[in-house]
Amino acid sequence: MALPPWSRQGLHVIAKPTGPICNLRCEYCFYLEKESLYAEGETWRMSDETLSAYVRQYIEAQPDVVEEIDFAFQGGEPTLLGIDFFRRVLQLQKEYAPPGKRIHNSLQTNGVLLDDRWCEFLREHGFLVGLSLDGPADLHDRYRRDKQGRRTFDRVIRAMRCLQEHGVEFNVLTCVTRHNGDHPARVYRFLRESGVQFVQFIPIVEPLGVAAANAEALVSGRSVRPEQFGRFLIGVFEEWVRHDVGRIFVRDFDQALAAWAGAGANLCIYAKHCGRATAIEHNGDLYSCDHFVDPQHKLGNIHRTPIRELANSARQEQFGRDKERTLPESCRRCRFLFICNGACPKDRFLAAPDGQAGLNYLCEGYRLFFEHVDPSMKAMAAELAAGRPAANVMRQLRARQERVRREAAATAGPIRRNDHCPCGSGRKFKSCCMRRA
């Protein structure tokens, strides 16, 4: 079978070895409903036969130029399978990986089952752990509860401390909802003070599938509002760009800087095309993406057709290229197309101003964010181009703030505590330059 040119890119598969089965019942989880795709009484555990086929085929599906292969396990909740399941994963990887290929593993978890034994195993075998945590207790527990309705914050914090004590590399996945979306600084400072160094913010958008006169009525009450999400990212950015560049890494900021620096974003939601991140279910069914696990996007089953053929099929290639093909004209004319590219297709259910379909629900928020960070991103990109660290932007901002403050004081008299800070941050003077001074 002749493979298309795009197949030279590395393939990524998100494995769902427990399907949608989880020990929590988070209100906004989009994957719980996937139980309906399978018959009642389904055995929600990837069999050894399927696991073996998956590991072997996934390695074989990578182009020869790919030297590092990443295995990602999500759910549901993958830790429900127990440590022995992942010992078998490692055994199979060792068996099937050809010489010269390096294998990496990651595990996305709610953390509830993590203990010393788990953390010792994860550290010993170099797993990267993604831990779900939505902020301080009152913000986290709003939607993230177990099946009995009990709060989970204390258990997640205990898991994070265990990961830290055992030296397990981890990042935090924070879902941004209408509930915590008005508290960017509080969420970010909490994560920073908890010792988190790597963060990704995931906007919760739950379409209701109904016609409505305005965007907000098209989604659930949990869904973050477009402008709210933009303001959230701005609020976090303002804290980060003044204190933490080069010390804490926020996925959206890293992707934006890569785009401004001319390297282009590599995260699927910001990439020009998608389709290289598929999802495999517990029984070997392969889907176009874990946000499109539905009958229309089922590519086939790996027990009948190898991953290599399914992932490089004309159907999957079309799925990936449709992201660009279906962009509204207003997006094509947008000055931020180079970074946004219409963002994730799952959220593109609004009509553009000219009535054309396919505008991203979060467009207004993304535009607010990109407009706001444009000067800082250009400054950081210039530093990188000159061979200097992007963190120099913090010193530049401090110097600018002090200059503007002095100029404002000289022309308009003393600045009062509750005045808007003249540095342009949007915050009150007492909580901005005055506090830093």
Side-chain angles (χ1 to χ4, degrees):
M1 174 181 176
L3 299 177
W6 81 317
S7 68
R8 291 192 292 270
Q9 305 170 33
L11 171 68
H12 188 60
V13 175
I14 297 173
K16 308 278 191 174
T18 60
I21 302 305
C22 187
N23 48 354
L24 301 189
R25 187 62 69 176
C26 302
E27 290 186 33
Y28 53 59
C29 181
F30 73 95
Y31 216 77
L32 294 176
E33 65 184 29
K34 304 306 178 184
E35 282 193 55
S36 63
L37 293 175
Y38 297 93
E40 188 174 347
E42 180 79 7
T43 301
W44 297 103
R45 182 185 178 93
M46 184 175 280
S47 68
D48 191 72
E49 179 188 12
T50 300
L51 178 62
S52 180
Y54 161 57
V55 172
R56 175 177 55 80
Q57 292 182 26
Y58 182 46
I59 292 172
E60 292 173 349
Q62 302 300 330
D64 291 339
V65 296
V66 173
E67 296 179 351
E68 299 187 359
I69 304 173
D70 296 305
F71 281 80
F73 297 93
Q74 297 186 11
E77 175 51 45
T79 60
L80 289 170
L81 293 166
I83 292 176
D84 286 344
F85 177 87
F86 291 96
R87 291 194 191 281
R88 178 61 174 157
V89 168
L90 295 168
Q91 182 183 16
L92 290 167
Q93 290 170 345
K94 185 176 181 180
E95 179 180 342
Y96 292 125
K101 300 287 185 182
R102 293 186 295 277
I103 303 291
H104 303 287
N105 289 287
S106 63
L107 187 74
Q108 181 64 43
T109 177
N110 57 44
V112 170
L113 296 180
L114 294 185
D115 56 16
D116 288 331
R117 184 166 170 263
W118 262 108
C119 290
E120 287 168 4
F121 169 81
L122 296 168
R123 174 66 180 88
E124 179 184 355
H125 297 287
F127 274 70
L128 170 64
V129 175
L131 184 67
S132 296
L133 176 60
D134 286 357
D138 59 311
L139 301 180
H140 173 91
D141 285 332
R142 176 64 179 85
Y143 297 124
R144 299 192 64 82
R145 303 210 174 197
D146 64 20
K147 292 183 177 181
Q148 289 73 43
R150 296 175 300 192
R151 302 171 187 271
T152 62
F153 176 81
D154 290 340
R155 284 174 277 176
V156 177
I157 293 299
R158 185 166 60 246
M160 183 169 68
R161 297 296 174 235
C162 193
L163 291 169
Q164 292 169 327
E165 289 167 6
H166 287 274
V168 180
E169 187 178 357
F170 76 99
N171 59 49
V172 162
L173 187 155
T174 297
C175 291
V176 184
T177 65
R178 200 168 299 182
H179 182 65
N180 67 358
D182 289 332
H183 307 281
R186 186 170 170 233
V187 169
Y188 178 73
R189 290 169 186 166
F190 166 77
L191 295 176
R192 180 177 61 195
E193 291 162 9
S194 298
V196 175
Q197 288 185 286
F198 299 89
V199 189
Q200 50 182 309
F201 294 110
I202 307 296
I204 294 299
V205 179
E206 299 177 307
L208 297 177
V210 298
N214 60 78
E216 190 172 319
L218 290 171
V219 298
S220 72
R222 293 182 290 265
S223 300
V224 66
R225 298 180 178 92
E227 182 177 352
Q228 183 185 33
F229 183 58
R231 298 291 180 198
F232 181 91
L233 290 177
I234 289 170
V236 173
F237 183 82
E238 281 301 307
E239 188 76 18
W240 174 82
V241 79
R242 284 169 168 77
H243 305 288
D244 300 316
V245 180
R247 191 171 71 90
I248 294 178
F249 301 88
V250 181
R251 188 182 68 171
D252 288 280
F253 304 164
D254 290 345
Q255 292 293 307
L257 180 55
W260 258 272
N266 58 18
L267 183 66
C268 60
I269 64 171
Y270 294 131
K272 188 175 183 179
H273 302 126
C274 57
R276 299 308 288 164
T278 57
I280 189 168
E281 260 291 342
H282 64 293
N283 67 340
D285 288 343
L286 193 73
Y287 292 86
S288 292
C289 169
D290 77 322
H291 285 290
F292 290 87
V293 175
D294 54 50
Q296 294 75 28
H297 295 91
K298 180 179 172 181
L299 299 172
N301 188 285
I302 68 169
H303 290 297
R304 292 184 286 276
T305 310
I307 290 176
R308 182 179 176 88
E309 291 186 29
L310 295 174
N312 292 305
S313 65
R315 180 181 173 192
Q316 180 66 356
E317 181 178 4
Q318 187 63 52
F319 171 82
R321 297 198 181 280
D322 278 349
K323 181 180 181 183
E324 179 189 22
R325 185 184 64 81
T326 59
L327 271 177
E329 192 59 35
S330 59
C331 290
R332 299 178 190 277
R333 296 194 302 266
C334 179
R335 63 183 286 238
F336 297 118
L337 179 63
F338 76 99
I339 167 62
C340 177
N341 284 304
C344 186
K346 76 179 179 65
D347 298 327
R348 285 161 53 171
F349 52 83
L350 294 188
D354 63 0
Q356 199 174 0
L359 183 68
N360 197 294
Y361 166 80
L362 294 168
C363 175
E364 180 184 356
Y366 282 126
R367 189 172 61 250
L368 280 172
F369 171 62
F370 296 140
E371 285 277 7
H372 183 87
V373 303
D374 182 59
S376 295
M377 287 296 170
K378 286 177 177 174
M380 286 189 283
E383 290 299 300
L384 292 175
R388 297 187 294 265
N392 284 350
V393 72
M394 295 188 289
R395 175 175 47 79
Q396 296 168 5
L397 283 172
R398 284 193 293 269
R400 175 178 174 272
Q401 286 175 329
E402 181 59 26
R403 184 177 66 253
V404 170
R405 188 184 68 80
R406 288 198 305 266
E407 291 172 354
T411 58
I415 306 169
R416 294 182 296 273
R417 290 170 52 84
N418 290 316
D419 288 344
H420 282 296
C421 190
C423 76
S425 68
R427 294 195 291 269
K428 292 181 179 180
F429 177 57
K430 67 181 179 183
S431 58
C432 189
C433 289
M434 176 182 172
R435 175 171 60 82
R436 279 187 285 274

